[in-house]
Amino acid sequence: MTTSQPACTVVVPTYNRAGLLRHTLESLCRQRLAAGDTFEVVVADDGSTDDTEDTVTGYRDRLDVRCFRQEDEGYRVAKARNVGIEHARGDITVFVDSGVILHSGALAAHLAAHRETDGPTAVIGYVLCFNEGNEDGQEILDALDFEDPDASFARFAAEGRWPDIREDYYERYGEELDRLTAPWLMWWTCNASAATALLRETGGFDEAYRSWGAEDVDLGYRLRTAGARFVLRRDATALHVPHPKSYEANMRSAARNYRYFAAKFNTPVARLVPDNHFHEIEDILRSRGLADGEATDRLGSVVRAIDHMDAEAAACATPPEGDPMAPPLLGMWTWKDREARREAPRVLVFSPHPDDEVIACGGTTSRLVAEGAQVGVVFATDGAMSHSAVLDIHKDPTPEELIQIRRQEALTAGKAMGVREESVRFLDYPDTRLADHLPQFRRDVLEILREHRTVTQVYLPHEIRELNADHRLTGETVVSCLAELGMDPDIYRYVVWDERTEEEFGFVNRKPADGPGSATERLVSYDISAYVPQKHAAFREHRTQVELYAPGQTRPVVPWPFQERVFAARTEEFWITEPGGDADRRTVDGE
């Protein structure tokens, strides 16, 4: 077994299909990756009693392959794949079913897709010869050259034989899947991939699925709500070897699972899944005004009267009464209820540095956007000194390089939370030296607030409790400017830098508070459980801060203990000011 970290891990679940598994492992032996890239294989055995273990052992001289077996307790492919995710050592996990033959360039195409796409990505590979009831099974087997499958790939494609059964979907809506509302409907684990860390953060496969169908669609849905972009790669090609199956039994099983899926998420798009063909759902969403684009008239699709948004459908599309945290259409920012948006909060988040906006209120921001709020983010400093000031690293990257890198990270993190790029403002004052530029900073803040006089909520660093100079001065300035302009939005003060943070970072840049403050405060705690995936996805985008980014780094800028606290948090806390009332009374949302 290789000791270097592989670029990707191929997870192959199996159950009493040693013959089909051999075809898959043979195709993995033929993979051609770029120089320096390696891969590993994890066979996740769902309790086989055939010679699966011996089959895997026979490939250990040609593949970096491990096999993990769980007891046979019925159909548990979701659990098997989760075992694969648990043991994966590659940054990317590629899912392939037993009996799927990969083109020799398929893994390289999966890796290229992730490297060429900004942000978290879910890749959909192309699958030839996939059939629902073993139709044409013998004809496919007779035509398939098992000794040279690449030649069969080329011949079948040239002849237009047995294309991917999702081809109708691609022809109807195009291949830019990320522009669609529900591309996760096409993310099938017979040939698909995603970042291993993202799969773990989103909880992997739901092990409640104990029969055929929907467990991959469920995970694809959650990848989407976590901010993943969906990409179709035709060059990540595979071929599904025919084998006996019962279409009727599979459809009965899938129908039960789709009903579970719809009840689990209970959003307008999830409720469409049990009773509509996957290829029609995008049209229905468009015709109801829930998705961008016009309903198509291709492939026999028609817009029916029931598809038009009427009063009943409109009521169905809004969050349930009394549950302000309920996710809209997809659980994040794709909701199209325009009336709700007109009445939604108008929010400004002031962040001293790129990453504070996620640490302090990433879950709250994601929730507000999902509910239709207009959210803007203002960054006070350029974040240029994170490596120099904290780690004493002045080159590769230099402070000048960090400015542009961190700006792009902040924009991508904003997208993960649903914040539009045009709603992000960079003031670019020197990191760690905001105190030297207060007059100009104040003028900029006043200008921004004048442009947003209708703002209803402002999130900012606590001007007393924050210890870091840039943080405290950002809060002080915004509060002072709001008072000068006579603006009275709800103010939510957060604390990122306290004594514990200073100790973990090993960095001190304090500014004494101007005064003790006189207002009565209470601490409120908001449950962000439903939006943790978005926050985690956004936090990971600040790669210069959370990864070993520079060659000389032995620890990330944001220390591991601090990161663990961010990833473990299921609430976000803010100090709010009220006239009178008990100070320092902790309340939980909904309590």
Side-chain angles (χ1 to χ4, degrees):
M1 179 183 295
T2 181
T3 57
S4 62
Q5 181 178 353
C8 67
T9 299
V10 182
V11 173
V12 188
T14 192
Y15 175 71
N16 284 341
R17 290 184 172 178
L20 291 171
L21 179 61
R22 288 189 189 93
H23 294 313
T24 301
L25 296 177
E26 281 291 336
S27 74
L28 289 169
C29 291
R30 301 185 184 99
Q31 292 301 298
R32 294 180 284 104
L33 271 64
D37 282 342
T38 61
F39 70 94
E40 65 170 352
V41 182
V42 174
V43 175
D45 185 357
D46 192 16
S48 297
T49 56
D50 63 359
D51 60 343
T52 290
E53 185 176 356
D54 290 341
T55 297
V56 174
T57 300
Y59 282 88
R60 286 190 173 138
D61 60 337
R62 289 179 286 167
L63 292 172
D64 178 6
V65 58
R66 293 173 290 160
C67 183
F68 297 91
R69 185 183 184 277
Q70 60 193 25
E71 292 303 313
D72 184 1
E73 298 178 6
Y75 187 97
R76 294 195 297 157
V77 71
K79 171 67 174 176
R81 291 196 184 102
N82 282 343
V83 170
I85 295 170
E86 175 187 353
H87 291 281
R89 295 184 295 123
D91 290 337
I92 304 301
T93 296
V94 181
F95 297 103
V96 179
D97 282 346
S98 294
V100 167
I101 296 176
L102 291 172
H103 185 278
S104 60
L107 291 188
H110 274 283
L111 288 171
H114 288 277
R115 291 165 177 171
E116 295 168 5
T117 307
D118 292 334
T121 305
V123 177
I124 298 171
Y126 197 82
V127 182
L128 296 164
C129 302
F130 186 94
N131 49 39
E132 296 177 303
N134 205 32
E135 60 273 15
D136 297 336
Q138 191 57 53
E139 186 179 353
I140 294 171
L141 289 172
D142 291 342
L144 178 57
D145 184 349
F146 286 100
E147 296 300 318
D148 188 5
D150 278 8
S152 296
F153 282 107
R155 187 171 70 257
F156 294 170
E159 296 171 355
R161 304 177 76 188
W162 305 301
D164 194 315
I165 63 173
R166 296 166 289 189
E167 193 65 63
D168 288 350
Y169 184 91
Y170 304 144
E171 290 181 4
R172 179 180 296 189
Y173 303 117
E175 298 186 12
E176 296 294 324
L177 300 187
D178 200 56
R179 297 180 180 178
L180 305 180
T181 302
W184 40 271
L185 290 167
M186 301 296 115
W187 195 77
W188 301 351
T189 43
C190 52
N191 181 18
S193 65
T196 305
L198 182 61
L199 291 166
R200 290 169 178 164
E201 288 169 18
T202 51
F205 292 89
D206 182 346
E207 295 176 15
Y209 291 98
R210 295 294 299 272
S211 61
W212 188 90
E215 79 282 347
D216 46 5
V217 172
D218 181 302
L219 179 53
Y221 180 101
R222 286 180 282 120
L223 292 173
R224 183 62 164 175
T225 63
R229 300 181 179 185
F230 279 69
V231 175
L232 167 65
R233 288 295 292 235
R234 290 180 177 270
D235 52 349
T237 311
L239 187 150
H240 201 285
V241 177
H243 57 83
K245 66 183 74 171
S246 170
Y247 173 76
E248 292 77 13
N250 282 348
M251 290 304 101
R252 285 194 299 271
S253 172
R256 292 192 301 271
N257 288 346
Y258 293 149
R259 289 194 294 271
Y260 168 75
F261 172 87
K264 173 182 175 179
F265 294 105
N266 196 29
T267 55
V269 66
R271 291 192 291 268
L272 291 173
V273 168
D275 300 316
N276 297 278
H277 194 284
F278 282 9
H279 293 193
E280 300 289 336
I281 287 176
E282 188 76 24
D283 267 353
I284 296 171
L285 292 170
R286 292 178 178 190
S287 63
R288 292 183 179 182
L290 294 169
D292 292 330
E294 297 296 326
T296 74
D297 59 359
R298 301 179 62 185
L299 304 168
S301 173
V302 294
V303 179
R304 302 158 292 181
I306 194 174
D307 295 337
H308 290 286
M309 179 65 85
D310 53 22
E312 181 179 355
C316 181
T318 58
E321 186 175 352
D323 185 7
M325 296 292 287
L329 175 66
L330 184 57
M332 48 189 306
W333 60 88
T334 52
W335 190 23
K336 305 297 180 183
D337 189 330
R338 293 157 179 89
E339 288 301 319
R341 286 189 180 276
R342 292 192 187 101
E343 302 300 324
R346 292 169 295 283
V347 181
L348 281 177
V349 177
F350 285 88
S351 179
H353 314 96
D355 75 357
D356 293 316
E357 83 288 4
V358 178
I359 294 169
C361 45
T364 301
T365 298
S366 300
R367 183 213 7 126
L368 288 166
V369 174
E371 293 173 353
Q374 303 171 37
V375 179
V377 180
V378 180
F379 293 103
T381 77
D382 55 22
M385 298 301 293
S386 63
H387 283 67
S388 292
V390 179
L391 301 177
D392 197 31
I393 294 175
H394 309 289
K395 295 181 179 180
D396 196 17
T398 65
E400 293 74 19
E401 291 170 336
L402 269 175
I403 293 173
Q404 298 307 316
I405 297 170
R406 296 195 69 183
R407 176 186 286 253
Q408 188 56 51
E409 288 176 342
L411 292 174
T412 308
K415 289 180 182 178
M417 297 183 291
V419 178
R420 297 179 300 171
E421 186 170 324
E422 58 268 28
S423 299
V424 180
R425 183 88 168 262
F426 297 93
L427 299 184
D428 285 335
Y429 286 98
D431 186 9
T432 73
R433 294 170 46 210
L434 185 59
D436 298 336
H437 303 271
L438 285 182
Q440 183 59 47
F441 177 56
R442 181 181 181 82
R443 286 194 291 270
D444 284 345
V445 172
L446 286 169
E447 178 184 347
I448 290 169
L449 293 176
R450 289 189 183 102
E451 294 172 358
H452 295 83
R453 280 196 172 272
T454 60
V455 66
T456 57
Q457 297 180 17
V458 174
Y459 293 77
L460 48 80
H462 200 296
E463 69 274 30
I464 305 297
R465 299 177 187 272
E466 279 278 3
L467 298 182
N468 181 277
D470 287 350
H471 286 237
R472 179 174 287 168
L473 288 170
T474 298
E476 284 181 3
T477 302
V478 176
V479 169
S480 174
C481 289
L482 286 169
E484 179 177 329
L485 296 174
M487 297 172 62
D488 190 28
D490 294 330
I491 299 178
Y492 296 82
R493 295 166 166 89
Y494 59 79
V495 176
V496 171
W497 276 86
D498 55 15
E499 288 87 351
R500 183 177 180 181
T501 303
E502 279 188 341
E503 181 178 355
E504 290 170 343
F505 273 75
F507 173 72
V508 177
N509 181 32
R510 290 199 181 193
K511 175 192 180 297
D514 287 343
S518 57
T520 300
E521 292 184 319
R522 67 184 178 98
L523 186 63
V524 296
S525 179
Y526 290 104
D527 183 359
I528 61 165
S529 298
Y531 298 92
V532 161
Q534 290 94 307
K535 177 170 182 171
H536 288 182
F539 191 41
R540 287 193 346 269
E541 290 300 336
H542 289 287
R543 294 190 174 96
T544 57
Q545 309 303 295
V546 302
E547 297 179 2
L548 299 179
Y549 191 85
Q553 282 185 244
T554 58
R555 51 151 277 199
V557 172
V558 178
W560 298 121
F562 188 93
Q563 291 192 40
E564 289 172 359
R565 287 198 279 139
V566 174
F567 282 118
R570 294 299 180 267
T571 60
E572 288 176 344
E573 296 181 341
F574 305 97
W575 291 92
I576 63 173
T577 302
E578 294 183 332
D582 298 329
D584 202 50
R585 182 172 65 86
R586 182 182 298 271
T587 62
V588 179
D589 189 37
E591 188 174 81

